[in-house]
Structure formats: C-alpha cells, structure tokens
Amino acid sequence: MKPSIFLSFALIALIFTSCLKNDNPATGTGDALIIAKHSGTNTVYGITLYAYSFGTFKSVTAINSNEIEKTYTLVSNQGYKTNFYYETPNAEFTSTKPTGSAFNFSAVFENGATTEFQDILTDKVLAVPTIGVCAYNPTKQILEISWTLLPDANSYAINILDGPTLIFASTELANTIKSYEISATSIGWATGFTPLNGKSYTVKLFAFLYEPGGGVYDMQAASVAEKTVAWGN
C-alpha cells in the first residue's frame, strides 16, 4: 500500500499545518490509525502514524504504550518537513486486530527544540470496502468505479498507481458517494501524466473513519481495496 495513502493526504496535511494558530512552531500533533486490507481471503491489519507541526521536524519517533520495547521511526512525507509518517510494512500486517493503546510521540525540530505529544487509539477498525465496477468504458472514454457504502465510513478517496508510483489522487469523497468516473483529463492526475491505452494500472479505494469529533487529520481507522484495470479500448 505504500506510499499511496500518505501521498493522497499530503495536501490535507499542509492545509492542517497552515491552519494551526500557534505562535510557538515547536509544537506537534500526532495521529495513529489502524489500517485494514485484504491479503488473499484474509483481512489483515497494520498501524499508520502521522505527525504534524507548524514548524519543521528534524526527526520524529513514537512508542506504543502496549509495546514499549519497540520504537517507530517516522519519515518525511514527500519531503514536507511539517508532515512525518510511519506505515507498517506489508510483510508485517497480521490477522490480529491491534488493541487500543496510547502512542507517545517525541519530536526534534530543525532549530533544536524538542516536544512530546500523544494520540489515543481505540481498537475500532473499519471493514474493507467492496468494489463493484472497476472498468474502462470505451464509449464514454472514462474509468468507471463503484463500491458498496460502509456504514461507519466518514469519507472515501481513490488512488491510481503505475507500479509503485502514484499517478492519480482524488479529492476526499463524501460518505454518501458510491461511484466515481475518471477521464484522461480529470483533475487529480500527476503533473504531466497521461494514461496510456492498453496499459494496466492499480486502482485503490480508501475508506476512512474519523475519531469522535475528528476529521481528515484525526482518524481512527482506514481500509483499502484494490483492483487492476486496463485503460482504454
């Protein structure tokens, strides 16, 4: 899944940090969420961590209160030093759901200042969405995607990847939307990219569950389903 979920939220993170009304840039906010996806016929789970700041991070680490012997090292998201992340490697996803815990973040800023912050994660997870249609319509010259709505999802997003490279990212989609159409001229394609007829791409549908009273930078869980689709006739 790396790196699409983080790339699709790079703009969100920048908007969030620009809206922080704090005269002290050496402060941070952390967010931990549970990721669910399919591996064969099984649903497997991992952890994603975000750290946001109005200042510029030099380094960020985190410790789970349930496994204090392990240190998570976050890295810069697309080079944005106000937004660091960690994602569970694919090989470390397991069928065991993570338990509720506190994630304690420690950050060092480029000016040498340090700070600590915390996010509380419950054990609530989000089911993996079911993609219905994911096919190119040659008559309309669009990619048509539809899915079954999840009762708990607060929003959705769509990514398209060419191998490991993110080439398309939708805006955040409301939890009432259950279909989406993408043309070669739709907003969301990577700069200068045009999909090639006959080439296969990976479509990923993300669903998101916010923490109570939270939003796109304050999530509890996310899940992802994917399909391979050939573009064009």
Side-chain angles (χ1 to χ4, degrees), residues 35 58 70 95 98 102 108 110 122 126 135 168 178 186 200 202 230:
I35 309 296
K58 181 179 180 181
K70 179 177 181 179
S95 58
V108 178
E110 289 195 326
T122 72
L126 192 60
F168 179 88
K178 56 183 179 180
S186 292
S200 292
T202 300

Side-chain angles (χ1 to χ4, degrees), residues 2 5 11 24 29 50-51 75 86 90 95 97 103 112 122 154 156 184 186 197 211 215-217 229:
K2 187 178 181 180
I5 190 170
L11 180 59
N24 178 12
T29 297
Y50 295 95
V75 298
Y86 166 87
N90 286 331
S95 58
K97 296 179 183 180
F103 278 85
T122 72
N154 292 110
Y156 299 92
S186 292
N197 284 338
E211 293 182 13
V216 292
Y217 53 85
V229 65

